[in-house]
Amino acid sequence: MSTKILIIGACGQIGTELTAKLRATYGVDNVVASDIRKLENDVVKNGIFEVVNALDYNQIEHLIEKYQITDVYLMAALLSATAEKNPAFAWDLNMNSLFHVLNLAKAGKIQKIFWPSSIAVFGPTTPRDNTPQYTVMEPSTVYGISKQSGERWCEYYNKQYGVDVRSIRYPGLISWTSPPGGGTTDYAVDIYYKALEDKKFTCFLSENTGLPMMYMDDAIKATISIMQAPAEKIKIRSSYNLSAVSFTPKEIAESIKKHIPEFTIDYAPDFRQAIADSWPASIDDSYARTDWGWQHDFDMERMTSVMLENLAKK
Ligand code: AKB
């Protein structure tokens, strides 16, 4: 059976770039993009698009039947900072959208699921440096609790019902095409916009707050390659640690200054500082590298060059 893909949450930060790459890889007619609303963007204009509420089982089921979908990428979620402001809705959206898709797979209506987890599954009692795949996990944010619970359910559905669900724990993601929405790592995108526009940036995290980060092209590569890997290579069915670079606000500012010497940064930590302090500073992703051949391409200097070059054109 040929691969027919449904992306739920296709207009978000990851969904936008994932949709473009999946259309290029599998063909425009084999990829259905969907989101809660119809925007005026490339996701809507450049291929099949449907409005869908990720909390509506029947709507998702209808699309799966209409397009004979085999693989679902469930990208709809509330991220860490937004989730703290609306815990009940975050829990509802992040958990029940996952249950819908897991149950559709259990019922034999789809063959494969991609579901994103996050470094937010870790918490203040986790070792912060080179955080292992298997370690203490006591998330202290609503978002982290939902991702940690989701991981347990993914593993359960795989073990009990044979559901082929695959997942990675994304670090902070950086891209110039689509803005992030409501995360703690969003400063690392905003800083490039402000460096070009204003030559100065006020960071909501303190200067030495190290966090794991990744350029979007690497994240998309990881997402598609875990989905294309033979099932027997995916030995972890909760979620894989995934890593590329780790840096502090001070370090990213230094890398921007190499291109824009007059750039300045100051610091005004807000409620997101406590979230960042509870997360790892760097990640050990050796299982992903061994099991399904993960490798990143972008370090911080390359990412800074590409971000500044493309945002300047934009
Ligand atoms: C966030 O900051 O909430 C996200 C994440 C690390 O999952 N970017």
Side-chain angles (χ1 to χ4, degrees), residues 79-80 118-119 143 170-172 183-185 279:
L79 298 187
S80 57
S118 161
I119 53 164
Y143 175 64
Y170 289 126
T184 301
T185 57
W279 287 354

